[in-house]
Amino acid sequence: MKKTKKELQDLSDPSEFFDSMDQGVMLQMMQYYPIQFKAMCMLVSLDIQLVLEEQEKETKTKKKIKKSYDNQGKI
């Protein structure tokens, strides 16, 4: 079954990765391929960390821009 563009966009949030997987497949992976499943979990965790860091970076940038504009008005 082919995923639509909307469905692919929904998977851009790493925290929803396991929600998209069939539970039976996930249980089989845990049972028969525990090392690979653990590695997959670590990669998803890293993806989540990257998303959080990017959001934090964007927030800091927006604050700097706002502060710059506020300071220009005081000169």
Side-chain angles (χ1 to χ4, degrees):
M1 186 166 124
K2 204 171 191 180
K3 297 247 183 214
T4 65
K5 191 171 185 176
K6 171 92 168 106
E7 289 172 325
L8 291 174
Q9 288 174 345
D10 290 343
L11 295 179
S12 63
D13 183 2
S15 64
E16 296 177 1
F17 177 76
F18 290 110
D19 293 338
S20 68
M21 290 184 68
D22 179 64
Q23 288 184 355
V25 171
M26 200 163 26
L27 289 172
Q28 286 180 345
M29 285 179 68
M30 284 186 242
Q31 185 177 6
Y32 297 110
Y33 306 101
I35 294 170
Q36 291 83 355
F37 186 78
K38 183 178 178 181
M40 190 171 62
C41 291
M42 286 190 282
L43 290 173
V44 171
S45 295
L46 289 171
D47 280 346
I48 291 170
Q49 182 63 33
L50 288 172
V51 169
L52 292 174
E53 288 177 6
E54 183 64 28
Q55 289 173 349
E56 183 178 319
K57 184 178 175 182
E58 287 176 11
T59 300
K60 286 181 180 180
T61 301
K62 287 178 183 177
K63 285 181 181 179
K64 282 183 180 180
I65 291 171
K66 184 179 181 331
K67 187 175 182 179
S68 174
Y69 282 126
D70 289 348
N71 288 340
Q72 287 178 358
K74 292 178 182 179
I75 295 175

